[in-house]
Amino acid sequence: KQLVGQLGCWTYFQSIKSPANEKFISDFQAWLAKSDVPGIVKEGRVTCSPMVLSYVGVYLWKAAVEKAGTFEVDKVIAELEKGISFDGPGGTVTSQKNHHVTKNVFIGETKADGQFKILKSYDNVYGEPFLKGTFKAK
């Protein structure tokens, strides 16, 4: 209750309306329902940005391995540095030469149900690992 109306800025909110997000949420809920992990809380669980970042990371790695045709680290990294895209729950994510990703960013307002009303989105935000302007995209 105390957070209603507060703003948040993330690369993912569960309230994003897209087929990829609907599938992600559905798959997560299905996993929860059948999970027998000791102590796991099943009620009221939501998806979040760290979950999605881990999820897309695995799929970007998978695509890089497939393009490289090997699990050899240097060859997989070389493919990631070329730019591989994956359509994830928060939109398209693309690997960059600097080992970060380009992804969408959302500003949302907390609602009473614990979700976020998305107020503004920024598409394809370039991942800048250093102080602004010290890395130049090629």
Side-chain angles (χ1 to χ4, degrees), residues 69-106:
T70 181
F71 289 103
E72 290 180 49
V73 174
D74 290 341
K75 291 181 180 178
V76 173
I77 289 172
E79 291 302 325
L80 284 166
E81 288 177 347
K82 292 177 186 176
I84 294 177
S85 294
F86 174 74
D87 291 326
T92 302
V93 176
T94 303
S95 62
Q96 300 171 180
K97 186 173 177 71
N98 66 1
H99 297 205
H100 290 262
V101 294
T102 298
K103 59 188 172 230
N104 300 337
V105 176
F106 305 90

PDB file of all heavy atoms in Angstrom, residues 69-106:
ATOM      1  N   GLY A  69      28.771 -22.987 -33.683  1.00  0.00           N
ATOM      2  CA  GLY A  69      28.877 -24.416 -33.953  1.00  0.00           C
ATOM      3  C   GLY A  69      29.765 -25.142 -32.963  1.00  0.00           C
ATOM      4  O   GLY A  69      30.250 -26.238 -33.229  1.00  0.00           O
ATOM      5  N   THR A  70      29.970 -24.515 -31.797  1.00  0.00           N
ATOM      6  CA  THR A  70      30.861 -25.077 -30.786  1.00  0.00           C
ATOM      7  C   THR A  70      30.571 -24.424 -29.441  1.00  0.00           C
ATOM      8  O   THR A  70      29.931 -23.371 -29.384  1.00  0.00           O
ATOM      9  CB  THR A  70      32.337 -24.844 -31.156  1.00  0.00           C
ATOM     10  OG1 THR A  70      33.172 -25.425 -30.148  1.00  0.00           O
ATOM     11  CG2 THR A  70      32.659 -23.361 -31.292  1.00  0.00           C
ATOM     12  N   PHE A  71      31.086 -25.060 -28.375  1.00  0.00           N
ATOM     13  CA  PHE A  71      31.015 -24.474 -27.046  1.00  0.00           C
ATOM     14  C   PHE A  71      32.306 -23.732 -26.687  1.00  0.00           C
ATOM     15  O   PHE A  71      32.435 -23.232 -25.582  1.00  0.00           O
ATOM     16  CB  PHE A  71      30.763 -25.559 -25.986  1.00  0.00           C
ATOM     17  CG  PHE A  71      29.378 -26.143 -26.034  1.00  0.00           C
ATOM     18  CD1 PHE A  71      29.163 -27.392 -26.605  1.00  0.00           C
ATOM     19  CD2 PHE A  71      28.294 -25.460 -25.518  1.00  0.00           C
ATOM     20  CE1 PHE A  71      27.891 -27.939 -26.653  1.00  0.00           C
ATOM     21  CE2 PHE A  71      27.022 -25.988 -25.555  1.00  0.00           C
ATOM     22  CZ  PHE A  71      26.816 -27.242 -26.135  1.00  0.00           C
ATOM     23  N   GLU A  72      33.246 -23.671 -27.626  1.00  0.00           N
ATOM     24  CA  GLU A  72      34.517 -23.003 -27.357  1.00  0.00           C
ATOM     25  C   GLU A  72      34.257 -21.534 -27.024  1.00  0.00           C
ATOM     26  O   GLU A  72      33.654 -20.798 -27.794  1.00  0.00           O
ATOM     27  CB  GLU A  72      35.448 -23.100 -28.565  1.00  0.00           C
ATOM     28  CG  GLU A  72      35.981 -24.501 -28.810  1.00  0.00           C
ATOM     29  CD  GLU A  72      36.902 -24.553 -30.013  1.00  0.00           C
ATOM     30  OE1 GLU A  72      37.811 -23.694 -30.092  1.00  0.00           O
ATOM     31  OE2 GLU A  72      36.689 -25.439 -30.851  1.00  0.00           O
ATOM     32  N   VAL A  73      34.741 -21.131 -25.856  1.00  0.00           N
ATOM     33  CA  VAL A  73      34.429 -19.814 -25.304  1.00  0.00           C
ATOM     34  C   VAL A  73      34.770 -18.675 -26.265  1.00  0.00           C
ATOM     35  O   VAL A  73      33.952 -17.796 -26.512  1.00  0.00           O
ATOM     36  CB  VAL A  73      35.125 -19.608 -23.937  1.00  0.00           C
ATOM     37  CG1 VAL A  73      34.936 -18.190 -23.432  1.00  0.00           C
ATOM     38  CG2 VAL A  73      34.595 -20.622 -22.917  1.00  0.00           C
ATOM     39  N   ASP A  74      35.973 -18.675 -26.818  1.00  0.00           N
ATOM     40  CA  ASP A  74      36.381 -17.571 -27.686  1.00  0.00           C
ATOM     41  C   ASP A  74      35.485 -17.455 -28.922  1.00  0.00           C
ATOM     42  O   ASP A  74      35.168 -16.349 -29.362  1.00  0.00           O
ATOM     43  CB  ASP A  74      37.847 -17.720 -28.106  1.00  0.00           C
ATOM     44  CG  ASP A  74      38.818 -17.498 -26.955  1.00  0.00           C
ATOM     45  OD1 ASP A  74      38.401 -16.876 -25.943  1.00  0.00           O
ATOM     46  OD2 ASP A  74      39.977 -17.938 -27.056  1.00  0.00           O
ATOM     47  N   LYS A  75      35.078 -18.583 -29.460  1.00  0.00           N
ATOM     48  CA  LYS A  75      34.216 -18.565 -30.655  1.00  0.00           C
ATOM     49  C   LYS A  75      32.800 -18.108 -30.306  1.00  0.00           C
ATOM     50  O   LYS A  75      32.162 -17.396 -31.080  1.00  0.00           O
ATOM     51  CB  LYS A  75      34.217 -19.929 -31.330  1.00  0.00           C
ATOM     52  CG  LYS A  75      35.566 -20.243 -31.965  1.00  0.00           C
ATOM     53  CD  LYS A  75      35.575 -21.581 -32.650  1.00  0.00           C
ATOM     54  CE  LYS A  75      36.967 -21.810 -33.251  1.00  0.00           C
ATOM     55  NZ  LYS A  75      37.072 -23.101 -33.901  1.00  0.00           N
ATOM     56  N   VAL A  76      32.320 -18.508 -29.147  1.00  0.00           N
ATOM     57  CA  VAL A  76      30.988 -18.079 -28.702  1.00  0.00           C
ATOM     58  C   VAL A  76      30.997 -16.572 -28.439  1.00  0.00           C
ATOM     59  O   VAL A  76      30.086 -15.847 -28.866  1.00  0.00           O
ATOM     60  CB  VAL A  76      30.532 -18.870 -27.453  1.00  0.00           C
ATOM     61  CG1 VAL A  76      29.232 -18.310 -26.894  1.00  0.00           C
ATOM     62  CG2 VAL A  76      30.371 -20.350 -27.796  1.00  0.00           C
ATOM     63  N   ILE A  77      32.029 -16.087 -27.771  1.00  0.00           N
ATOM     64  CA  ILE A  77      32.146 -14.650 -27.505  1.00  0.00           C
ATOM     65  C   ILE A  77      32.207 -13.871 -28.815  1.00  0.00           C
ATOM     66  O   ILE A  77      31.569 -12.822 -28.952  1.00  0.00           O
ATOM     67  CB  ILE A  77      33.373 -14.355 -26.617  1.00  0.00           C
ATOM     68  CG1 ILE A  77      33.117 -14.843 -25.195  1.00  0.00           C
ATOM     69  CG2 ILE A  77      33.691 -12.859 -26.612  1.00  0.00           C
ATOM     70  CD1 ILE A  77      34.329 -14.780 -24.284  1.00  0.00           C
ATOM     71  N   ALA A  78      32.952 -14.376 -29.777  1.00  0.00           N
ATOM     72  CA  ALA A  78      33.058 -13.697 -31.075  1.00  0.00           C
ATOM     73  C   ALA A  78      31.679 -13.543 -31.727  1.00  0.00           C
ATOM     74  O   ALA A  78      31.372 -12.494 -32.313  1.00  0.00           O
ATOM     75  CB  ALA A  78      34.007 -14.456 -31.997  1.00  0.00           C
ATOM     76  N   GLU A  79      30.849 -14.554 -31.606  1.00  0.00           N
ATOM     77  CA  GLU A  79      29.487 -14.462 -32.167  1.00  0.00           C
ATOM     78  C   GLU A  79      28.648 -13.449 -31.398  1.00  0.00           C
ATOM     79  O   GLU A  79      27.907 -12.664 -32.000  1.00  0.00           O
ATOM     80  CB  GLU A  79      28.809 -15.838 -32.177  1.00  0.00           C
ATOM     81  CG  GLU A  79      29.404 -16.817 -33.151  1.00  0.00           C
ATOM     82  CD  GLU A  79      29.384 -16.339 -34.594  1.00  0.00           C
ATOM     83  OE1 GLU A  79      28.428 -15.654 -35.009  1.00  0.00           O
ATOM     84  OE2 GLU A  79      30.340 -16.658 -35.322  1.00  0.00           O
ATOM     85  N   LEU A  80      28.756 -13.452 -30.074  1.00  0.00           N
ATOM     86  CA  LEU A  80      28.009 -12.474 -29.272  1.00  0.00           C
ATOM     87  C   LEU A  80      28.440 -11.049 -29.624  1.00  0.00           C
ATOM     88  O   LEU A  80      27.603 -10.144 -29.690  1.00  0.00           O
ATOM     89  CB  LEU A  80      28.210 -12.734 -27.779  1.00  0.00           C
ATOM     90  CG  LEU A  80      27.447 -13.917 -27.207  1.00  0.00           C
ATOM     91  CD1 LEU A  80      27.978 -14.289 -25.833  1.00  0.00           C
ATOM     92  CD2 LEU A  80      25.960 -13.637 -27.159  1.00  0.00           C
ATOM     93  N   GLU A  81      29.725 -10.854 -29.858  1.00  0.00           N
ATOM     94  CA  GLU A  81      30.221  -9.521 -30.182  1.00  0.00           C
ATOM     95  C   GLU A  81      29.724  -9.023 -31.539  1.00  0.00           C
ATOM     96  O   GLU A  81      29.706  -7.818 -31.782  1.00  0.00           O
ATOM     97  CB  GLU A  81      31.756  -9.507 -30.144  1.00  0.00           C
ATOM     98  CG  GLU A  81      32.299  -9.594 -28.736  1.00  0.00           C
ATOM     99  CD  GLU A  81      33.806  -9.644 -28.665  1.00  0.00           C
ATOM    100  OE1 GLU A  81      34.470  -9.858 -29.715  1.00  0.00           O
ATOM    101  OE2 GLU A  81      34.340  -9.480 -27.555  1.00  0.00           O
ATOM    102  N   LYS A  82      29.301  -9.919 -32.404  1.00  0.00           N
ATOM    103  CA  LYS A  82      28.757  -9.529 -33.710  1.00  0.00           C
ATOM    104  C   LYS A  82      27.341  -8.954 -33.567  1.00  0.00           C
ATOM    105  O   LYS A  82      26.853  -8.281 -34.463  1.00  0.00           O
ATOM    106  CB  LYS A  82      28.715 -10.726 -34.658  1.00  0.00           C
ATOM    107  CG  LYS A  82      30.082 -11.212 -35.078  1.00  0.00           C
ATOM    108  CD  LYS A  82      29.952 -12.440 -35.956  1.00  0.00           C
ATOM    109  CE  LYS A  82      31.308 -13.038 -36.285  1.00  0.00           C
ATOM    110  NZ  LYS A  82      31.164 -14.295 -37.053  1.00  0.00           N
ATOM    111  N   GLY A  83      26.672  -9.281 -32.465  1.00  0.00           N
ATOM    112  CA  GLY A  83      25.307  -8.804 -32.239  1.00  0.00           C
ATOM    113  C   GLY A  83      24.280  -9.873 -32.538  1.00  0.00           C
ATOM    114  O   GLY A  83      23.950 -10.129 -33.690  1.00  0.00           O
ATOM    115  N   ILE A  84      23.803 -10.503 -31.502  1.00  0.00           N
ATOM    116  CA  ILE A  84      22.758 -11.527 -31.613  1.00  0.00           C
ATOM    117  C   ILE A  84      21.524 -11.004 -30.900  1.00  0.00           C
ATOM    118  O   ILE A  84      21.625 -10.450 -29.808  1.00  0.00           O
ATOM    119  CB  ILE A  84      23.226 -12.860 -30.991  1.00  0.00           C
ATOM    120  CG1 ILE A  84      24.380 -13.432 -31.811  1.00  0.00           C
ATOM    121  CG2 ILE A  84      22.078 -13.851 -30.890  1.00  0.00           C
ATOM    122  CD1 ILE A  84      24.975 -14.699 -31.255  1.00  0.00           C
ATOM    123  N   SER A  85      20.374 -11.179 -31.520  1.00  0.00           N
ATOM    124  CA  SER A  85      19.122 -10.685 -30.930  1.00  0.00           C
ATOM    125  C   SER A  85      18.235 -11.822 -30.465  1.00  0.00           C
ATOM    126  O   SER A  85      18.256 -12.918 -31.030  1.00  0.00           O
ATOM    127  CB  SER A  85      18.358  -9.836 -31.946  1.00  0.00           C
ATOM    128  OG  SER A  85      19.079  -8.663 -32.238  1.00  0.00           O
ATOM    129  N   PHE A  86      17.466 -11.529 -29.422  1.00  0.00           N
ATOM    130  CA  PHE A  86      16.472 -12.469 -28.894  1.00  0.00           C
ATOM    131  C   PHE A  86      15.242 -11.668 -28.506  1.00  0.00           C
ATOM    132  O   PHE A  86      15.359 -10.630 -27.844  1.00  0.00           O
ATOM    133  CB  PHE A  86      17.035 -13.218 -27.675  1.00  0.00           C
ATOM    134  CG  PHE A  86      16.026 -14.100 -27.000  1.00  0.00           C
ATOM    135  CD1 PHE A  86      15.628 -15.294 -27.583  1.00  0.00           C
ATOM    136  CD2 PHE A  86      15.466 -13.738 -25.794  1.00  0.00           C
ATOM    137  CE1 PHE A  86      14.682 -16.114 -26.974  1.00  0.00           C
ATOM    138  CE2 PHE A  86      14.527 -14.548 -25.163  1.00  0.00           C
ATOM    139  CZ  PHE A  86      14.137 -15.734 -25.764  1.00  0.00           C
ATOM    140  N   ASP A  87      14.079 -12.130 -28.926  1.00  0.00           N
ATOM    141  CA  ASP A  87      12.827 -11.458 -28.569  1.00  0.00           C
ATOM    142  C   ASP A  87      12.338 -12.009 -27.239  1.00  0.00           C
ATOM    143  O   ASP A  87      11.743 -13.077 -27.179  1.00  0.00           O
ATOM    144  CB  ASP A  87      11.773 -11.651 -29.656  1.00  0.00           C
ATOM    145  CG  ASP A  87      12.122 -10.894 -30.927  1.00  0.00           C
ATOM    146  OD1 ASP A  87      12.710  -9.803 -30.811  1.00  0.00           O
ATOM    147  OD2 ASP A  87      11.832 -11.389 -32.023  1.00  0.00           O
ATOM    148  N   GLY A  88      12.623 -11.280 -26.181  1.00  0.00           N
ATOM    149  CA  GLY A  88      12.281 -11.724 -24.840  1.00  0.00           C
ATOM    150  C   GLY A  88      11.032 -11.053 -24.302  1.00  0.00           C
ATOM    151  O   GLY A  88      10.380 -10.266 -24.991  1.00  0.00           O
ATOM    152  N   PRO A  89      10.701 -11.337 -23.050  1.00  0.00           N
ATOM    153  CA  PRO A  89       9.498 -10.793 -22.417  1.00  0.00           C
ATOM    154  C   PRO A  89       9.460  -9.264 -22.335  1.00  0.00           C
ATOM    155  O   PRO A  89       8.394  -8.675 -22.303  1.00  0.00           O
ATOM    156  CB  PRO A  89       9.530 -11.404 -21.018  1.00  0.00           C
ATOM    157  CG  PRO A  89      10.359 -12.628 -21.154  1.00  0.00           C
ATOM    158  CD  PRO A  89      11.376 -12.306 -22.200  1.00  0.00           C
ATOM    159  N   GLY A  90      10.619  -8.616 -22.327  1.00  0.00           N
ATOM    160  CA  GLY A  90      10.681  -7.155 -22.265  1.00  0.00           C
ATOM    161  C   GLY A  90      10.947  -6.519 -23.615  1.00  0.00           C
ATOM    162  O   GLY A  90      11.186  -5.319 -23.700  1.00  0.00           O
ATOM    163  N   GLY A  91      10.923  -7.320 -24.671  1.00  0.00           N
ATOM    164  CA  GLY A  91      11.219  -6.831 -26.012  1.00  0.00           C
ATOM    165  C   GLY A  91      12.518  -7.429 -26.519  1.00  0.00           C
ATOM    166  O   GLY A  91      13.117  -8.300 -25.894  1.00  0.00           O
ATOM    167  N   THR A  92      12.950  -6.949 -27.663  1.00  0.00           N
ATOM    168  CA  THR A  92      14.162  -7.472 -28.280  1.00  0.00           C
ATOM    169  C   THR A  92      15.404  -7.027 -27.516  1.00  0.00           C
ATOM    170  O   THR A  92      15.538  -5.856 -27.172  1.00  0.00           O
ATOM    171  CB  THR A  92      14.267  -7.012 -29.742  1.00  0.00           C
ATOM    172  OG1 THR A  92      13.098  -7.469 -30.446  1.00  0.00           O
ATOM    173  CG2 THR A  92      15.497  -7.566 -30.420  1.00  0.00           C
ATOM    174  N   VAL A  93      16.281  -7.977 -27.257  1.00  0.00           N
ATOM    175  CA  VAL A  93      17.557  -7.738 -26.595  1.00  0.00           C
ATOM    176  C   VAL A  93      18.641  -8.137 -27.596  1.00  0.00           C
ATOM    177  O   VAL A  93      18.545  -9.188 -28.226  1.00  0.00           O
ATOM    178  CB  VAL A  93      17.672  -8.585 -25.301  1.00  0.00           C
ATOM    179  CG1 VAL A  93      19.024  -8.418 -24.656  1.00  0.00           C
ATOM    180  CG2 VAL A  93      16.569  -8.222 -24.340  1.00  0.00           C
ATOM    181  N   THR A  94      19.657  -7.276 -27.749  1.00  0.00           N
ATOM    182  CA  THR A  94      20.731  -7.554 -28.704  1.00  0.00           C
ATOM    183  C   THR A  94      22.081  -7.422 -28.012  1.00  0.00           C
ATOM    184  O   THR A  94      22.347  -6.425 -27.336  1.00  0.00           O
ATOM    185  CB  THR A  94      20.659  -6.570 -29.895  1.00  0.00           C
ATOM    186  OG1 THR A  94      19.363  -6.666 -30.496  1.00  0.00           O
ATOM    187  CG2 THR A  94      21.722  -6.889 -30.937  1.00  0.00           C
ATOM    188  N   SER A  95      22.925  -8.433 -28.196  1.00  0.00           N
ATOM    189  CA  SER A  95      24.270  -8.389 -27.613  1.00  0.00           C
ATOM    190  C   SER A  95      25.106  -7.354 -28.347  1.00  0.00           C
ATOM    191  O   SER A  95      24.885  -7.065 -29.517  1.00  0.00           O
ATOM    192  CB  SER A  95      24.926  -9.769 -27.667  1.00  0.00           C
ATOM    193  OG  SER A  95      25.091 -10.201 -29.007  1.00  0.00           O
ATOM    194  N   GLN A  96      26.060  -6.789 -27.640  1.00  0.00           N
ATOM    195  CA  GLN A  96      26.913  -5.741 -28.183  1.00  0.00           C
ATOM    196  C   GLN A  96      28.380  -6.157 -28.113  1.00  0.00           C
ATOM    197  O   GLN A  96      28.751  -7.016 -27.305  1.00  0.00           O
ATOM    198  CB  GLN A  96      26.760  -4.443 -27.364  1.00  0.00           C
ATOM    199  CG  GLN A  96      25.384  -3.894 -27.341  1.00  0.00           C
ATOM    200  CD  GLN A  96      25.235  -2.743 -26.344  1.00  0.00           C
ATOM    201  OE1 GLN A  96      24.164  -2.217 -26.241  1.00  0.00           O
ATOM    202  NE2 GLN A  96      26.261  -2.338 -25.628  1.00  0.00           N
ATOM    203  N   LYS A  97      29.204  -5.492 -28.868  1.00  0.00           N
ATOM    204  CA  LYS A  97      30.648  -5.752 -28.869  1.00  0.00           C
ATOM    205  C   LYS A  97      31.254  -5.536 -27.481  1.00  0.00           C
ATOM    206  O   LYS A  97      32.204  -6.214 -27.099  1.00  0.00           O
ATOM    207  CB  LYS A  97      31.331  -4.858 -29.904  1.00  0.00           C
ATOM    208  CG  LYS A  97      32.804  -5.151 -30.075  1.00  0.00           C
ATOM    209  CD  LYS A  97      33.385  -4.353 -31.224  1.00  0.00           C
ATOM    210  CE  LYS A  97      34.864  -4.579 -31.371  1.00  0.00           C
ATOM    211  NZ  LYS A  97      35.243  -5.872 -31.872  1.00  0.00           N
ATOM    212  N   ASN A  98      30.692  -4.613 -26.699  1.00  0.00           N
ATOM    213  CA  ASN A  98      31.232  -4.312 -25.371  1.00  0.00           C
ATOM    214  C   ASN A  98      30.757  -5.282 -24.278  1.00  0.00           C
ATOM    215  O   ASN A  98      30.947  -5.037 -23.104  1.00  0.00           O
ATOM    216  CB  ASN A  98      30.901  -2.872 -24.975  1.00  0.00           C
ATOM    217  CG  ASN A  98      29.417  -2.623 -24.782  1.00  0.00           C
ATOM    218  OD1 ASN A  98      28.592  -3.516 -24.927  1.00  0.00           O
ATOM    219  ND2 ASN A  98      29.070  -1.390 -24.472  1.00  0.00           N
ATOM    220  N   HIS A  99      30.105  -6.367 -24.679  1.00  0.00           N
ATOM    221  CA  HIS A  99      29.628  -7.431 -23.789  1.00  0.00           C
ATOM    222  C   HIS A  99      28.437  -7.003 -22.930  1.00  0.00           C
ATOM    223  O   HIS A  99      28.152  -7.624 -21.901  1.00  0.00           O
ATOM    224  CB  HIS A  99      30.744  -7.998 -22.916  1.00  0.00           C
ATOM    225  CG  HIS A  99      31.819  -8.662 -23.716  1.00  0.00           C
ATOM    226  ND1 HIS A  99      32.620  -9.632 -23.209  1.00  0.00           N
ATOM    227  CD2 HIS A  99      32.235  -8.495 -25.001  1.00  0.00           C
ATOM    228  CE1 HIS A  99      33.485 -10.036 -24.127  1.00  0.00           C
ATOM    229  NE2 HIS A  99      33.257  -9.334 -25.224  1.00  0.00           N
ATOM    230  N   HIS A 100      27.759  -5.971 -23.325  1.00  0.00           N
ATOM    231  CA  HIS A 100      26.502  -5.553 -22.710  1.00  0.00           C
ATOM    232  C   HIS A 100      25.403  -5.754 -23.744  1.00  0.00           C
ATOM    233  O   HIS A 100      25.660  -6.304 -24.811  1.00  0.00           O
ATOM    234  CB  HIS A 100      26.594  -4.093 -22.243  1.00  0.00           C
ATOM    235  CG  HIS A 100      27.501  -3.934 -21.065  1.00  0.00           C
ATOM    236  ND1 HIS A 100      27.039  -3.864 -19.775  1.00  0.00           N
ATOM    237  CD2 HIS A 100      28.855  -3.868 -20.985  1.00  0.00           C
ATOM    238  CE1 HIS A 100      28.059  -3.755 -18.952  1.00  0.00           C
ATOM    239  NE2 HIS A 100      29.177  -3.751 -19.658  1.00  0.00           N
ATOM    240  N   VAL A 101      24.199  -5.357 -23.435  1.00  0.00           N
ATOM    241  CA  VAL A 101      23.090  -5.549 -24.376  1.00  0.00           C
ATOM    242  C   VAL A 101      22.326  -4.256 -24.613  1.00  0.00           C
ATOM    243  O   VAL A 101      22.322  -3.354 -23.773  1.00  0.00           O
ATOM    244  CB  VAL A 101      22.106  -6.647 -23.897  1.00  0.00           C
ATOM    245  CG1 VAL A 101      22.762  -8.012 -23.888  1.00  0.00           C
ATOM    246  CG2 VAL A 101      21.514  -6.331 -22.546  1.00  0.00           C
ATOM    247  N   THR A 102      21.694  -4.208 -25.755  1.00  0.00           N
ATOM    248  CA  THR A 102      20.747  -3.155 -26.078  1.00  0.00           C
ATOM    249  C   THR A 102      19.375  -3.722 -25.730  1.00  0.00           C
ATOM    250  O   THR A 102      19.053  -4.848 -26.111  1.00  0.00           O
ATOM    251  CB  THR A 102      20.815  -2.813 -27.580  1.00  0.00           C
ATOM    252  OG1 THR A 102      22.124  -2.331 -27.860  1.00  0.00           O
ATOM    253  CG2 THR A 102      19.802  -1.772 -27.963  1.00  0.00           C
ATOM    254  N   LYS A 103      18.585  -2.960 -24.975  1.00  0.00           N
ATOM    255  CA  LYS A 103      17.268  -3.454 -24.562  1.00  0.00           C
ATOM    256  C   LYS A 103      16.339  -2.279 -24.290  1.00  0.00           C
ATOM    257  O   LYS A 103      16.765  -1.127 -24.236  1.00  0.00           O
ATOM    258  CB  LYS A 103      17.393  -4.341 -23.330  1.00  0.00           C
ATOM    259  CG  LYS A 103      18.003  -3.636 -22.142  1.00  0.00           C
ATOM    260  CD  LYS A 103      18.277  -4.611 -21.022  1.00  0.00           C
ATOM    261  CE  LYS A 103      19.055  -3.919 -19.940  1.00  0.00           C
ATOM    262  NZ  LYS A 103      20.209  -4.600 -19.496  1.00  0.00           N
ATOM    263  N   ASN A 104      15.076  -2.596 -24.116  1.00  0.00           N
ATOM    264  CA  ASN A 104      14.083  -1.572 -23.810  1.00  0.00           C
ATOM    265  C   ASN A 104      14.136  -1.230 -22.319  1.00  0.00           C
ATOM    266  O   ASN A 104      14.477  -2.065 -21.491  1.00  0.00           O
ATOM    267  CB  ASN A 104      12.680  -2.048 -24.181  1.00  0.00           C
ATOM    268  CG  ASN A 104      12.564  -2.364 -25.660  1.00  0.00           C
ATOM    269  OD1 ASN A 104      13.321  -1.863 -26.476  1.00  0.00           O
ATOM    270  ND2 ASN A 104      11.619  -3.198 -26.012  1.00  0.00           N
ATOM    271  N   VAL A 105      13.775   0.011 -22.013  1.00  0.00           N
ATOM    272  CA  VAL A 105      13.716   0.477 -20.632  1.00  0.00           C
ATOM    273  C   VAL A 105      12.334   1.086 -20.412  1.00  0.00           C
ATOM    274  O   VAL A 105      11.816   1.786 -21.286  1.00  0.00           O
ATOM    275  CB  VAL A 105      14.823   1.523 -20.343  1.00  0.00           C
ATOM    276  CG1 VAL A 105      14.697   2.075 -18.938  1.00  0.00           C
ATOM    277  CG2 VAL A 105      16.200   0.912 -20.567  1.00  0.00           C
ATOM    278  N   PHE A 106      11.750   0.813 -19.257  1.00  0.00           N
ATOM    279  CA  PHE A 106      10.395   1.248 -18.955  1.00  0.00           C
ATOM    280  C   PHE A 106      10.347   2.056 -17.662  1.00  0.00           C
ATOM    281  O   PHE A 106      11.035   1.726 -16.706  1.00  0.00           O
ATOM    282  CB  PHE A 106       9.469   0.039 -18.803  1.00  0.00           C
ATOM    283  CG  PHE A 106       9.478  -0.872 -19.998  1.00  0.00           C
ATOM    284  CD1 PHE A 106      10.373  -1.923 -20.088  1.00  0.00           C
ATOM    285  CD2 PHE A 106       8.597  -0.665 -21.044  1.00  0.00           C
ATOM    286  CE1 PHE A 106      10.403  -2.757 -21.192  1.00  0.00           C
ATOM    287  CE2 PHE A 106       8.607  -1.490 -22.156  1.00  0.00           C
ATOM    288  CZ  PHE A 106       9.520  -2.540 -22.230  1.00  0.00           C
TER     289      PHE A 106
END
